[in-house]
Amino acid sequence: MSLTGFVEFFQKGKTFRPKKRINEGTLRYSLYKQAQASLNSGINLRDTVKLPPGEELNDWIAVHVVDFFNRINLIYGTVCEFCDSKSCPTMSGGSRYEYLWADGATYKKPTALPAYQYISLLMDWIEERINDESYFPVSSDVPFPKTFGPLCKKILTRLFRVFVHVYIHHFDRIIAISAEAHVNTCYKHFYYFATEFNLIEPKELEPLVEMTKRLCKDIDYSKDPGPRIR
């Protein structure tokens, strides 16, 4: 399933948030095009996430964080009309997992919210940060801040929770529109990337561990972890 096919399929429906674009002519844009070409060529997903020789890890991660934000927005856009305070009164993944929202500003303490509200606040929170050049510098001459690594871990951890909610509570809708293969491919790409660079703690991955084992059958649990973002 190519990236082009994924985007074309989901853009036929509702987009939950406007797409964040990477500026043409920048180093990060060339990295984005390189990653996109690898996905479209049918290369094994585990290989596409590896850091290209000679490239900076932070640039590679920045490109993928923006790309995953865009694609998970597209996925959630297909189910958001079925996700309201009545159907999903909490941001959960089944009965065992519930996620509380805190942003240090409006919600200073972890707060239980309906799933749609949690995800809306989450997407706003991510969008604000990826558009802020003090977090995601556009020019290669400007260094990434020391907070970049922890911020990307937090972004991807929270985006994973959207996968959890969609898979556990709305996958019937995904199947109904014949999007299962597209969503599974996006999830596998996300999972391989996050685990390649140790961007999500194992305990956060637990809600989908059984499904992951079925989808990602080539995982080698004895493999040494890849490079860690600082």
Side-chain angles (χ1 to χ4, degrees):
M1 188 69 63
S2 70
L3 175 59
T4 301
F6 175 93
V7 173
E8 288 177 350
F9 182 94
F10 281 99
Q11 284 186 335
K12 293 176 183 176
K14 182 178 179 181
T15 302
F16 187 61
R17 284 287 186 280
K19 185 177 181 181
K20 163 67 176 175
R21 298 189 181 279
I22 298 172
N23 294 335
E24 292 189 35
T26 63
L27 168 64
R28 210 161 296 153
Y29 183 77
S30 67
L31 280 176
Y32 167 73
K33 298 300 288 184
Q34 180 179 344
Q36 188 177 47
S38 295
L39 285 170
N40 289 336
S41 70
I43 296 174
N44 183 287
L45 284 172
R46 289 195 70 186
D47 293 331
T48 66
V49 302
K50 296 184 183 302
L51 180 67
E55 301 295 352
E56 290 295 327
L57 179 59
N58 282 345
D59 283 315
W60 188 239
I61 287 175
V63 164
H64 282 80
V65 166
V66 172
D67 189 34
F68 288 132
F69 168 75
N70 285 333
R71 287 196 273 158
I72 292 169
N73 266 315
L74 290 173
I75 291 171
Y76 186 68
T78 67
V79 305
C80 63
E81 64 183 295
F82 303 93
C83 185
D84 55 33
S85 56
K86 185 176 180 180
S87 65
C88 306
T90 61
M91 177 59 180
S92 60
S95 58
R96 292 182 58 196
Y97 301 96
E98 180 179 351
Y99 303 115
L100 306 179
W101 179 254
D103 54 23
T106 306
Y107 295 88
K108 295 183 179 180
K109 295 182 179 180
T111 305
L113 296 172
Y116 82 91
Q117 188 177 355
Y118 181 106
I119 294 173
S120 181
L121 289 168
L122 166 59
M123 296 305 182
D124 287 343
W125 178 83
I126 296 174
E127 190 170 23
E128 181 180 338
R129 278 147 185 80
I130 63 178
N131 286 328
D132 186 335
E133 293 185 22
S134 68
Y135 292 117
F136 280 68
V138 174
S139 172
S140 57
D141 297 331
V142 178
F144 285 88
K146 292 181 180 180
T147 56
F148 179 74
L151 174 61
C152 287
K153 289 181 178 180
K154 195 166 190 176
I155 289 173
L156 292 183
T157 296
R158 287 179 162 180
L159 283 175
F160 181 81
R161 295 171 180 177
V162 180
F163 272 123
V164 172
H165 185 72
V166 168
Y167 267 115
I168 293 177
H169 294 280
H170 299 291
F171 205 61
D172 56 342
R173 168 63 182 168
I174 297 296
I175 293 173
I177 62 173
S178 302
E180 182 176 1
H182 295 76
V183 175
N184 286 347
T185 298
C186 183
Y187 174 76
K188 287 171 67 175
H189 185 209
F190 180 97
Y191 178 85
Y192 285 140
F193 186 84
T195 54
E196 172 73 15
F197 301 108
N198 301 287
L199 292 167
I200 301 180
E201 295 298 322
K203 66 179 181 179
E204 287 283 345
L205 300 171
E206 288 177 4
L208 297 180
V209 66
E210 294 304 320
M211 186 200 73
T212 303
K213 288 179 180 178
R214 292 195 299 272
L215 289 178
C216 307
K217 296 178 181 178
D218 58 345
I219 297 173
D220 180 2
Y221 292 99
S222 66
K223 174 182 175 291
D224 290 335
R228 290 180 179 273
I229 187 170
R230 296 178 176 81

